[in-house]
């Protein structure tokens, strides 16, 4: 019994998958290098040519065109064909459209086109250049899918479409991505290739400057573009085009006029709105899309005082207004996918044009010689018209007449038949002259056609003339601007002056940034000026001076750290409430910012000292906190019912002074606190009595001639020399720092000061006073201090900070400090 031989399944699968892959690559996803078209686009154009649907004809229903395409040449779904047809008619998708559409063909906002039964199409004038001479045997034809018709394997295009309109497609194991270019530049490059066939890619780059997207924008040339043109792969940065406009009532607006290629405008507007709401893009008061048929116009109104360049930089940084276009110049060359550079892409097109011109010339020569042959017979017949007429009249049948003509005058069969078919009107003298003129003209054409085929210089000149005509007729100005400088992102800090600012944070989490210049220095005991407008149940928690370029480390009561730059804090007026910290940081329930630290750099020889409410201290290297995650990071491990109250930047030779609410203080060297990791809890800094809590930590250099300014709840303060606080071991009970009474209230904080410093104090009734430290005399530890600020009713000091004024401090010292009663 015979058995069927087995089949190796692995080999069979390899073969089948390879055939499928080649089918997808060549028959669907990757364009031909010669006409730059995928099969579906080629069939759409050829079907319209067969319908006579040219640019000078009445448009036909899209459904009619789609029906012809899928019925005759493209056995796929009508949706795929119509989508391809629609894209060829979209001015924002094609650099030079190949379809002239009437009706709704979608929008740059992503709106879909109307159904094919509603829209009408015809080929554009440029599309006619793709199909010219197709009836002159210029390209090979092949059977369609059911062998009932023939379709062209490639179009005899005069247009370098692969680079002109670009393409994108994903096949099996490969993809292509080529951007649009400018037709005038491509024609100039082709003309140069005609003159200098040995030119290099860099020579051609003098003509082809870069992509030319239909949506405009900026393209930044550089190594990425050079790599793309020399190797076929590379990436270029693309940016939208923005303008700054002055509003009628003052203020400025940013107007987006052009967007990157293939970007959905509606999605861009939504992205910008989201980022504005999330405070990623700050300084925008209103966002409007005023685009119409005249072009794109997206308007962002800016707050007064906002720096437009900063907002523009944020738009480029956080939105698709700046994107990358990755070149991958793969096309089908000789039924094989091939990676091309700029020269090879243009070379293959030139070779195609050369072949088309030769084949067209051969066809024209053949037709001209055949016509000249007939005219030669007619000329002889007219010269001997009487004999020819007599011969024909003497013949009994047409075949006999043809045979006698061929015998008598040596006519060919074709010539003899032409004479028999000649109408009597051709016997007039005028018609005789026309035949002679046509014959002479044909002889000249035949000579020209032969010269094209025999002389390479004449052939090149013919190709050169066609390219020049194409440029003169269809080239349009460049839409995308090429920037020659390498793209480097705008550094926000280069645009923001490193001015001194005041950062205020309320207990309920409202934060703002204000210029220090709005606070003018006053004399001690003054009433102050109006400050932050908080709610009735809110008070200022942190009030510190820094500069725009410094880091803000925001430590929460739960021991977590978040990191921002000072200029990222929203700016507000002196009386403004500010923005809620929750808009800037991801805080958990019942979590709030306990302290804010300002630093410029995270040096390894610098340390952060953490102090908790229950008297625990911890020292950790600043370098451990250089990078913060979006969700923050653990800065210190806290014990039960303990909270972080402050963090200070310190060095090895520092002394630590912890002060408590009940007026005690302890001074010990930093060396008593060994460095620890981020997640540790630390060691005991002071032994607290009763319900006493640590309220402040003062860091002074070892041996420094420093003073400690302590501030009480009711606006009293005292300045005491650091040497009056004896050095103790860490963990002791401390010494008296401030005599607290109902008149003074408890101590709310302390800091190191000098005569050149100034103090800014904020009260609970939103008054701000700025005084010189030199106005407060130094006194002993066990005193109540002097009144620093006068307050009405039940008001109290909510926050304070020191300003280093140096030589610019206002001189003046009161003659006597009167202790509190």
């Amino acid at each position: 019994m015979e058995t069927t031989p087995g089949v190796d399944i692995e080999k069979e699968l390899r073969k089948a998958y390879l055939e499928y892959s080649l089918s997808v690559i060549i028959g669907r996803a990757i364009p031909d290098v010669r006409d730059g078209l995928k099969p579906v686009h080629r069939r759409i154009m050829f079907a319209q040519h067969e319908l006579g649907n040219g640019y000078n004809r009445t448009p036909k229903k899209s459904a009619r065109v789609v029906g012809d395409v899928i019925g005759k040449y493209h056995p796929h779904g009508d949706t795929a064909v119509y989508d391809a047809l629609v894209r060829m008619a979209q001015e924002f998708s094609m650099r030079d459209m190949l379809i002239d559409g009437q009706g709704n063909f979608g929008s740059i906002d992503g709106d879909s086109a109307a159904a094919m039964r509603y829209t009408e199409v015809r080929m554009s004038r440029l599309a006619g250049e793709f199909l010219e001479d197709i009836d002159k045997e210029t390209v090979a034809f092949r059977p369609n899918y059911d062998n009932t018709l023939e379709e062209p394997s490639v179009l005899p295009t005069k247009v370098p479409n692969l680079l002109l309109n670009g393409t994108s497609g994903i096949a099996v194991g490969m993809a292509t991505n080529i951007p649009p270019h400018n037709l005038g530049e491509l024609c100039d490059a082709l003309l140069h290739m005609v003159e200098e066939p040995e030119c290099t890619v860099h020579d051609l780059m003098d003509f082809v400057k870069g992509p030319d997207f239909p949506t405009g924008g900026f393209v930044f040339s550089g190594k990425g573009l050079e790599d793309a043109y020399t190797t076929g792969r590379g990436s270029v940065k693309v940016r939208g085009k923005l303008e700054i406009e002055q509003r009628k009532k003052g203020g400025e607006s940013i107007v987006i006029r052009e967007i990157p290629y293939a970007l959905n405008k509606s999605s861009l507007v939504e992205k910008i709105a989201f980022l504005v709401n999330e405070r990623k893009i700050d300084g925008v008061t209103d966002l409007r899309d005023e685009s119409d048929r005249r072009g794109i116009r997206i308007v962002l109104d800016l707050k007064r005082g906002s720096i437009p360049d900063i907002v523009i930089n944020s738009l480029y940084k956080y939105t698709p207004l700046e994107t990358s276009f990755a070149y991958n110049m793969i096309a089908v060359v000789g039924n094989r996918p091939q990676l091309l550079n700029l020269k090879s892409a243009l070379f293959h097109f030139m070779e195609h044009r050369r072949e088309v011109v030769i084949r067209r010339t051969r066809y024209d020569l053949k037709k001209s010689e055949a016509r000249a042959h007939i005219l030669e017979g007619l000329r002889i017949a007219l010269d001997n018209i009487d004999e020819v007429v007599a011969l024909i009249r003497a013949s009994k049948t047409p075949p006999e007449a043809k045979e006698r003509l061929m015998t008598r005058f040596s006519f060919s069969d074709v010539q003899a038949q032409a004479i028999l078919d000649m109408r009597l009107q051709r016997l007039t003298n005028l018609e005789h002259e026309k035949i002679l003129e046509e014959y002479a003209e044909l002889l000249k054409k035949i000579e020209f056609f032969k010269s094209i085929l025999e002389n390479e210089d004449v052939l090149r000149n013919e190709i050169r003339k066609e390219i020049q005509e194409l440029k003169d007729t269809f080239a349009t100005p460049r839409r995308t601007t090429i920037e020659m400088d390498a793209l480097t992102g705008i550094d926000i800090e280069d645009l923001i002056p490193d001015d001194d600012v005041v950062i205020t944070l309320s207990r309920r989490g409202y934060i703002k940034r204000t210029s220090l210049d709005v606070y003018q220095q006053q004399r001690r005991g003054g009433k102050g000026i109006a400050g932050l407008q908080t709610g009735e149940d809110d008070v200022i928690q942190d009030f510190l001076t820094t500069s725009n370029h410094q880091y803000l480390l925001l430590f929460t009561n739960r021991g977590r750290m978040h990191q921002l730059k000072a200029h990222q804090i929203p700016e507000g007026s002196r009386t403004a409430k500010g923005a809620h910290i929750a808009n800037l940081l991801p805080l958990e329930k019942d979590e709030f910012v306990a302290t804010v630290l300002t630093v410029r750099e995270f040096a390894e020889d610098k340390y952060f000292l953490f102090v908790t409410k229950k008297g625990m201290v911890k020292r950790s290297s600043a370098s451990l906190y250089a990078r913060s995650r979006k969700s923050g990071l653990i800065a210190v491990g806290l014990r039960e019912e303990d909270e972080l109250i402050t963090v200070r930047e310190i060095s090895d030779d520092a002394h630590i002074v912890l002060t408590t609410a009940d007026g005690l203080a302890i001074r010990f060297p930093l060396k008593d606190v060994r460095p620890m990791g981020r997640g540790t809890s630390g060691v005991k800094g002071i032994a607290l009595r009763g319900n006493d809590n640590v309220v402040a930590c003062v860091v002074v250099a070892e041996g420094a001639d420093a003073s400690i300014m302590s501030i009480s709840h009711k606006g009293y303060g005292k300045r005491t020399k650091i040497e009056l606080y004896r050095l103790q071991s860490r963990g002791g009970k401390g010494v008296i720092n401030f005599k607290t009474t109902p008149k003074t209230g408890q101590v709310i904080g302390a800091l190191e000061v000098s005569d050149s410093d100034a103090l800014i104090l904020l009260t609970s009734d939103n008054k701000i006073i700025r005084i010189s430290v030199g106005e407060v005399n130094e006194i002993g530890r066990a005193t109540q201090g002097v009144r620093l600020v006068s307050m009405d009713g039940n008001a109290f000091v909510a926050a304070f900070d020191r300003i280093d004024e140096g030589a610019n401090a206002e001189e003046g010292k009161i003659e006597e400090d009167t202790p509190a009663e």
Side-chain angles (χ1 to χ4, degrees):
M1 179 177 180
E2 288 189 16
T3 58
T4 304
V7 176
D8 189 328
I9 187 65
E10 182 178 351
K11 290 182 179 179
E12 191 67 20
L13 285 175
R14 285 178 181 273
K15 178 184 176 183
Y17 191 73
L18 180 61
E19 291 175 353
Y20 164 72
S21 301
L22 290 174
S23 173
V24 172
I25 291 170
I26 298 173
R28 187 175 300 183
I30 307 298
D32 192 291
V33 69
R34 296 169 291 179
D35 59 9
L37 297 173
K38 299 177 184 179
V40 63
H41 302 111
R42 187 179 302 117
R43 289 162 176 167
I44 288 172
M45 296 181 70
F46 183 66
Q48 290 189 91
H49 172 74
E50 292 291 280
L51 283 170
N53 196 27
Y55 74 93
N56 55 354
R57 301 293 182 89
T58 302
K60 298 184 183 298
K61 284 289 186 181
S62 299
R64 168 75 184 279
V65 175
V66 172
D68 270 22
V69 172
I70 63 177
K72 294 180 178 180
Y73 309 113
H74 199 68
H76 301 281
D78 58 347
T79 300
V81 175
Y82 185 54
D83 286 347
L85 180 68
V86 165
R87 190 176 187 278
M88 295 168 73
Q90 291 176 335
E91 61 180 358
F92 52 86
S93 296
M94 304 288 283
R95 177 57 182 83
D96 291 275
M97 293 183 293
L98 303 181
I99 296 294
D100 180 12
Q102 293 188 14
N104 175 17
F105 281 84
S107 72
I108 199 170
D109 286 320
D111 300 318
S112 59
M116 68 179 79
R117 62 183 179 273
Y118 298 120
T119 60
E120 297 180 347
V121 293
R122 63 184 176 188
M123 287 192 294
S124 68
R125 187 181 178 191
L126 180 66
E129 301 297 318
F130 282 72
L131 292 143
E132 188 172 342
D133 301 326
I134 194 171
D135 299 324
K136 293 186 177 182
E137 300 176 358
T138 50
V139 293
F141 277 69
R142 62 190 177 194
N144 69 340
Y145 66 92
D146 61 358
N147 291 319
T148 59
L149 298 169
E150 286 194 330
E151 62 174 322
S153 57
V154 67
L155 298 185
T157 177
K158 295 181 181 179
V159 182
N161 186 62
L162 182 69
L163 293 176
L164 173 62
N165 280 313
T167 186
S168 63
I170 300 175
V172 178
M174 65 180 61
T176 184
N177 201 35
I178 304 173
H181 290 78
N182 183 268
L183 179 59
E185 294 179 1
L186 293 174
C187 288
D188 288 338
L190 291 170
L191 291 171
H192 183 72
M193 284 187 69
V194 172
E195 300 295 336
E196 302 289 341
E198 302 301 321
C199 64
T200 66
V201 171
H202 289 89
D203 293 335
L204 296 175
M205 288 177 64
D206 292 337
F207 302 97
V208 182
K209 305 297 184 181
D212 189 18
F213 298 110
T215 52
F218 292 97
V219 166
F220 292 83
S221 64
K223 190 175 186 305
L225 187 61
E226 182 178 0
D227 289 344
Y229 285 154
T230 54
T231 69
R233 286 195 174 98
S235 180
V236 295
K237 289 287 186 182
V238 184
R239 277 184 169 181
K241 191 173 291 185
L242 296 85
E243 300 173 358
I244 300 175
E245 290 185 356
Q246 301 294 325
R247 296 203 297 270
K248 292 182 179 179
K249 296 183 179 180
E252 294 176 309
S253 297
I254 295 173
V255 180
I256 302 173
R257 291 287 191 180
E258 298 172 3
I259 63 176
Y261 181 58
L263 176 61
N264 186 305
K265 177 171 66 67
S266 180
S267 297
L268 173 65
V269 174
E270 291 177 5
K271 178 70 172 178
I272 295 173
F274 173 78
L275 292 171
V276 169
N277 291 332
E278 292 294 314
R279 302 278 184 164
K280 281 284 188 179
I281 298 178
D282 196 26
V284 177
T285 60
D286 190 25
L287 171 64
R288 302 183 303 280
D289 185 0
E290 299 179 353
S291 305
D292 54 25
R293 61 183 179 181
R294 291 172 294 181
I296 293 173
R297 181 180 170 85
I298 303 171
V299 182
L300 293 84
D301 292 338
L302 304 183
K303 296 177 182 176
R304 293 182 184 273
S306 295
I307 302 175
D309 285 340
I310 296 176
V311 180
I312 290 173
N313 181 71
S314 298
L315 289 171
Y316 285 144
K317 182 176 181 181
Y318 297 118
T319 75
L321 266 178
E322 177 183 307
T323 185
S324 296
F325 189 99
Y327 276 77
N328 192 21
M329 296 174 62
I330 291 179
V332 175
V333 181
N335 285 329
R336 293 172 63 94
Q338 183 176 321
L339 182 65
L340 307 169
N341 60 22
L342 177 61
K343 182 179 179 181
S344 60
L346 294 176
F347 171 79
H348 287 298
F349 171 76
M350 286 288 291
E351 287 296 296
H352 177 55
R353 279 310 302 161
R354 187 176 184 276
E355 181 182 357
V356 166
V357 171
I358 290 174
R359 295 183 64 159
R360 181 190 67 195
T361 304
R362 287 174 180 165
Y363 178 87
D364 289 338
L365 177 60
K366 178 182 176 182
K367 289 291 185 180
S368 297
E369 287 179 336
R371 179 60 178 166
H373 180 65
I374 293 173
L375 291 177
E376 173 67 17
L378 293 178
R379 184 182 65 81
I380 295 174
L382 290 173
D383 289 340
N384 301 275
I385 188 62
D386 293 336
E387 185 178 355
V388 168
V389 171
L391 189 150
I392 293 173
R393 291 185 66 185
S395 301
K396 294 182 178 180
T397 63
E400 181 184 347
K402 180 191 292 187
E403 183 65 28
R404 294 180 68 181
L405 285 172
M406 293 172 62
T407 302
R408 170 66 183 85
F409 297 101
S410 299
F411 288 148
S412 67
D413 184 88
V414 174
Q415 289 175 321
Q417 186 64 46
I419 292 170
L420 292 174
D421 294 338
M422 184 174 60
R423 301 172 64 182
L424 290 176
Q425 70 176 23
R426 304 298 296 273
L427 300 178
T428 63
N429 287 333
L430 182 60
E431 290 295 324
H432 190 185
E433 292 297 326
K434 286 183 179 179
I435 290 174
L436 295 179
E437 288 176 5
E438 183 183 356
Y439 181 64
E441 188 67 27
L442 275 176
L443 292 180
K444 292 180 182 178
K445 286 185 177 181
I446 290 170
E447 183 181 357
F448 174 66
F449 293 148
K450 288 181 177 179
S451 68
I452 292 177
L453 298 175
E454 296 170 359
N455 191 324
E456 189 68 26
D457 290 338
V458 178
L459 175 60
R460 283 201 302 269
N461 188 61
E462 187 70 11
I463 295 174
R464 182 190 303 109
K465 184 176 69 173
E466 289 183 351
I467 295 172
Q468 189 63 51
E469 289 176 353
L470 183 72
K471 177 185 176 183
D472 295 341
T473 306
F474 296 101
T476 55
R478 168 173 279 279
R479 299 178 188 175
T480 299
T481 304
I482 303 295
E483 294 289 340
M484 303 306 296
D485 297 331
L487 179 62
T488 55
I490 301 172
D491 189 348
I492 291 180
E493 293 191 359
D494 291 339
L495 303 173
I496 300 176
D498 195 17
D499 294 338
D500 291 332
V501 294
V502 175
I503 303 293
T504 56
L505 175 66
S506 75
R507 185 65 180 176
R508 292 182 64 84
Y510 290 93
I511 191 169
K512 70 170 182 174
R513 170 174 53 93
T514 310
S515 174
L516 183 61
D517 294 337
V518 303
Y519 304 106
Q520 299 177 352
Q521 183 163 299
Q522 304 172 38
R523 298 287 292 181
R524 176 175 66 83
K527 284 285 188 179
I529 58 176
L532 175 66
Q533 297 294 326
T534 62
E536 294 181 358
D537 58 345
D538 196 11
V539 295
I540 295 299
Q541 170 187 299
D542 283 289
F543 184 82
L544 64 152
T545 57
T546 181
S547 63
N548 279 322
H549 291 189
Q550 292 209 29
Y551 286 98
L552 291 182
L553 306 185
L554 298 99
F555 296 90
T556 73
N557 61 319
R558 294 187 178 181
R560 298 186 67 82
M561 185 201 81
H562 299 273
Q563 189 180 108
L564 295 172
K565 278 295 187 77
H567 60 72
Q568 292 178 292
I569 303 299
E571 187 174 12
S573 66
R574 188 182 70 241
T575 58
K577 187 176 183 179
H580 199 275
I581 195 68
N583 293 323
L584 305 175
L585 305 178
L587 300 179
E588 297 177 359
K589 184 179 180 181
D590 298 328
E591 184 180 18
F592 58 87
V593 175
T595 185
V596 182
L597 184 65
T598 64
V599 296
R600 188 171 290 273
E601 58 181 357
F602 299 87
E604 291 188 4
D605 60 343
K606 298 293 184 181
Y607 295 90
F608 291 156
L609 180 71
F610 296 83
V611 180
T612 73
K613 184 177 180 180
K614 297 300 183 182
M616 302 296 291
V617 294
K618 186 190 80 165
R619 176 164 63 128
S620 297
S621 173
S623 61
L624 298 176
Y625 301 86
R627 295 183 180 180
S628 176
R629 294 182 292 272
K630 185 177 181 180
S631 59
L633 52 80
I634 297 175
V636 59
L638 296 175
R639 298 180 179 180
E640 189 176 354
E641 297 184 354
D642 200 0
E643 292 183 359
L644 180 66
I645 62 166
T646 189
V647 183
R648 302 299 302 275
E649 188 177 13
I650 53 177
S651 55
D652 282 330
D653 59 353
H655 283 182
I656 309 302
V657 179
L658 301 181
T659 64
T660 72
D662 289 343
L664 297 176
I666 186 172
R667 174 189 174 197
F668 58 87
L670 178 62
K671 296 176 183 178
D672 286 359
V673 184
R674 61 180 178 83
M676 301 178 185
R678 277 196 302 108
T680 57
S681 299
V683 294
K684 182 178 290 188
I686 185 172
L688 299 174
R689 302 173 183 176
N691 294 323
D692 199 6
N693 293 313
V694 174
V695 294
C697 171
V698 180
V699 179
V700 295
E702 186 176 356
D705 184 20
S707 298
I708 293 180
M709 175 73 77
S710 299
I711 311 293
S712 75
H713 188 69
K714 296 297 183 64
Y716 286 83
K718 57 181 289 290
R719 186 159 66 115
T720 305
K721 279 285 189 181
I722 187 64
E723 61 192 33
L724 297 181
Y725 299 85
R726 61 183 175 85
L727 199 61
Q728 297 178 262
S729 297
R730 174 186 57 80
K733 294 183 179 180
V735 297
I736 296 176
N737 168 51
F738 197 110
K739 274 196 173 181
T740 59
T741 66
K743 183 77 172 179
T744 64
Q746 287 188 313
V747 176
I748 63 169
L751 43 75
E752 179 188 1
V753 295
S754 65
D755 288 342
S756 63
D757 292 336
L759 283 178
I760 288 185
L761 296 96
L762 279 76
T763 67
S764 60
D765 57 356
N766 298 317
K767 299 295 185 182
I768 301 174
I769 185 168
R770 176 172 172 169
I771 63 174
S772 173
V773 169
E775 296 183 14
V776 182
N777 283 335
E778 293 176 340
I779 55 179
R781 285 190 298 102
T783 57
Q784 295 178 346
V786 296
R787 184 181 296 278
L788 300 180
V789 57
S790 299
M791 294 178 290
D792 301 326
N794 296 322
F796 57 88
V797 176
F800 62 91
D801 196 17
R802 178 192 66 241
I803 305 169
D804 184 5
E805 295 191 324
N808 295 325
E810 176 179 322
E811 296 183 1
K813 195 168 187 175
I814 61 175
E815 296 180 359
E816 182 178 359
D817 283 333
T818 305
E821 297 179 1

